[in-house]
Amino acid sequence: MSKNVAPSFCLRIKRHKITFFIESTNQDTVGTIKQKLLTILSSDYQQEPSDIRLLLQNTSSNAAPVAPAPNQKVNVPTQPQIVYSPLENNSVLEQLGIGEDSVVYLVYWIPGDPNPADGKWEPVEVPEFEPLFVEDDKGKGKA
């Protein structure tokens, strides 16, 4: 007899310049992922699941583009606004559309606020990828 076991995958969780790889299945909840992550993070000091929040980057925008009026200056932002949605502890990864190539972001509750649910959370700060080796026009690499 074989059991129907959901295939596992590595979920990438990013915070600053660190990426954690957590073995997950589609049937795991966000709370389960937080518990797995806390086993790694709690080696230095004790943390609770309420002290961390997992966020998912929104991939679609519902806002329709608006055409500028004639002779109106248009400020074009250099970086598009990125929006992140917090993930609820009881949400199942499959229902959220989180799978093998998904990236989730980790932020901490800022101490000093009385209640993590109502308090302030640090912003997502993940630097853009910078390759270690870049080729110039002549095909020679620069490190």
Side-chain angles (χ1 to χ4, degrees), residues 14-15 17-18 28 39 48-49 57 68 78-79 85 96-98 103 106 110 118 128-129 136:
K14 292 188 173 193
R15 180 175 188 272
K17 293 184 178 183
I18 300 171
D28 284 344
T39 60
E48 297 295 322
Q57 182 177 339
T78 56
Q79 294 287 337
S85 299
L96 295 169
I98 296 175
V103 178
L106 167 68
I110 298 173
D118 298 329
E128 290 196 30
F129 174 74
D136 63 7

Side-chain angles (χ1 to χ4, degrees), residues 3 9 46 51-52 63-64 73 75 92 96 107 112 120-121:
K3 294 182 180 180
F9 60 92
Q46 188 63 31
D51 292 339
I52 63 173
K73 276 190 171 180
N75 292 331
V92 177
L96 295 169
V107 295
K120 295 180 182 176
W121 295 87

Side-chain angles (χ1 to χ4, degrees), residues 114-127:
N115 183 1
D118 298 329
K120 295 180 182 176
W121 295 87
E122 66 183 11
V124 174
E125 293 178 3
V126 176

Side-chain angles (χ1 to χ4, degrees), residues 65-75:
V66 177
N71 300 327
Q72 179 184 5
K73 276 190 171 180
V74 178
N75 292 331

Side-chain angles (χ1 to χ4, degrees), residues 11-27:
L11 178 63
R12 290 181 290 169
I13 302 175
K14 292 188 173 193
R15 180 175 188 272
H16 297 290
K17 293 184 178 183
I18 300 171
T19 302
F20 300 97
F21 292 89
I22 305 294
E23 186 176 7
S24 311
T25 68
N26 289 338
Q27 300 307 312

